[in-house]
Amino acid sequence: MDIRKVSEYFSVSGQLSVDDLQALKDSGIRTLICNRPDGEAAGQLAHADIEKPARELGFVVHYLPVVNDTINANDVHAFARMLDESPAPVHAWCRSGQRATTLWCLMQIGKGGDSAMVVNAANATGTDFSTVPVKFAGVIREITGAFAKLPLGQFCPLLIVGGGSAGISLAASLLRRDPTLRISIIEPSDTHYYQPAFTLVGGGEYELADTRRNTSALIPGGVQWIKAAVTNFLPEQAQVVLDNGTRLAYEQLVVCAGLKLNWDAVPGLRETLGKNGVTSNYVPELAPYTWQLVRNLRRGLAVFTQPPMPIKCAGAPQKAMYLSADHWLRQGLLGHVNVHFYNAGAVLFGVKDFVPALQSYVERYKAQLHMGHNLVKVDGPRRIATFAHTQADGTQQLNEVTFDLLHVCPPQCAPDFIRNSPLADRAGWVEVDPATLRHKRYPNVWGLGDVTSTPNAKTAAAVRMQVPVLAENLLAELHNLPLSAIYEGYGACPLTVERGKIVLAEFGYGGKLQPTLPIWLIDGRKATWFAWLLKKYLMPWLYWHLMLRGWEPLARPAKGDQENAG
Ligand code: FAD
């Protein structure tokens, strides 16, 4: 079977056999679509013969038979619905994989995708799809027309998608600079969380209730809150489509919709979260459960996992381990409780200056490190976690580990509606210039926070430094001035290595150290009590009272020549 990846979450192949199913399952595929009509060739396996064993293996299975030359708008709509409503990754097949790829191309272009980019992605499968936009122009017109027929709600001169840390801070920052701006934020959630405190909640050092506020209380006065979710971007028409079917037009668009916690990428995980000793500080409601499990565990195996990068707060999986181990050490339980850290990556932390301090805590807690181990399956009732271990020669071996406590940091990726949009880069993130934060292909689109392609540590600390850069550059653009503010990749990760001490890792692009305070006050390469005070008491206050209100101390953007930046 020749599996060809068209996008991160969609692959195609020629005719499948029943024997291929296990390999697809092992590679993480969750949905199968058959685009080949039954009886097309002598001896061809009927769809029903493959559907049954596929369902038994847990796949979602669809049958959408098409003939290449007669693919129509209904086929494309049906295909789009299947992709939208089924768990990813999706694998589709026909005789050669060509029809499945054509449907994907038409769906992407119909949703407003740049045809050259879509065709390039399809061509990467080894067949030439360059004729698709011309050959199926009528179908594309019909599908695009379906979007164009949606009612146009209103014109929002400055539209922000996502009212999390980045969206609210930006709106406040812009208004401080120019109170006459007309700003709208599209945000579906009533509740806003201060996520950096989740680790402290999981360590019994913070109340979950204190991490929560009503969104309505945080949206700056004068900003319009559109309580909805965006489903599509039409950047060529400067419009977005909402989940209620309305289109909104804009002059400038800022996308800051965060990232997706991809629980479904690990079979068995979602079902067992919050029971059977399986927890995650990445879910607010489960952070108190982490602390409950830690307090109740008096002997056994505690397993902490870290998925492949990028994730938000790259240190959070370790923080959970250190705070838990610190508790067991103080209770005299270490040794009865054995701590294991399974990391899909090859190093303890991506910036080497901080590793010695962290390593000393790994030794203090006698934690066993397992590098190159990626969590691929969880059997909650039997308390077994399965890891794919990448060997030195690149091959993978599956290791089963029994656990008494399992703290999971989930795999993370761009949200589906971003990943499938024309704004995305090949990896699915909003493709912005790393210095100016302006979109690389659409000059009136900008990106901020976890959702962007910038190679910084995805943290609220990064957002704090990005916001003034974007605010200044966006205002410069509105006044036809050159963009001069530069984001140098600052991000910070306060690693809670024990109760009362933190290794405060602050760094920019390329791992360059970027300490905020003088080194005599805080040396980020060492565990300090002062950094703990900052994290537990000062930073939450700064977040609620300064950052979300547009005050920006110690965040003045660097200036430079944007022609040569990024
Ligand atoms: P978010 O704050 O997640 O906001 C995204 C918003 O977009 C959400 O409100 C969401 O509802 C909205 N949205 C989603 N889909 C749509 C849609 N279709 N249409 C419109 N809106 C949509 N950072 C630190 O600096 N220090 C730390 O110590 C730290 N620790 C962390 C520990 C944990 C366990 C976690 C989970 C995070 C941690 N972070 C930390 C990371 C930090 O919280 C994030 O990097 C930060 O919140 C990113 O801000 P954002 O606005 O990009 O995304």
Side-chain angles (χ1 to χ4, degrees), residues 439-458:
H439 199 274
K440 284 191 172 170
R441 285 169 284 114
Y442 302 103
N444 63 342
V445 178
W446 310 75
L448 197 59
D450 291 350
V451 79
T452 69
S453 58
T454 53
N456 56 279
K458 291 186 185 296

Side-chain angles (χ1 to χ4, degrees), residues 33 35 64-68 70-84 99-112 132 136-144 146-147:
I33 303 179
N35 293 129
L64 178 66
V66 294
V67 177
N68 211 4
T70 64
I71 289 177
N72 60 37
N74 287 340
D75 297 329
V76 183
H77 278 302
F79 186 74
R81 249 196 328 276
M82 286 170 185
L83 286 189
D84 284 348
R99 275 169 273 186
T101 313
T102 303
L103 281 166
W104 180 87
C105 284
L106 292 172
M107 177 190 77
Q108 296 293 346
I109 299 171
K111 280 183 168 182
V132 165
F136 293 97
V139 178
I140 291 169
R141 258 199 309 281
E142 211 177 317
I143 312 163
T144 317
F147 283 115

Side-chain angles (χ1 to χ4, degrees), residues 164-166 187-188 195-196 230 257 282 313 319 417 449-450 459-461 494 535:
S165 307
E187 167 58 52
Q195 302 171 43
V230 170
Y282 278 76
C313 194
K319 296 186 210 176
F417 78 107
D450 291 350
T459 54
K535 162 91 184 162

Side-chain angles (χ1 to χ4, degrees), residues 281-301:
N281 289 344
Y282 278 76
V283 183
E285 296 73 25
L286 289 187
Y289 181 56
T290 303
W291 180 228
Q292 182 192 323
L293 291 175
V294 170
R295 270 179 306 154
N296 291 345
L297 190 68
R298 305 193 67 78
R299 60 176 55 247
L301 213 73

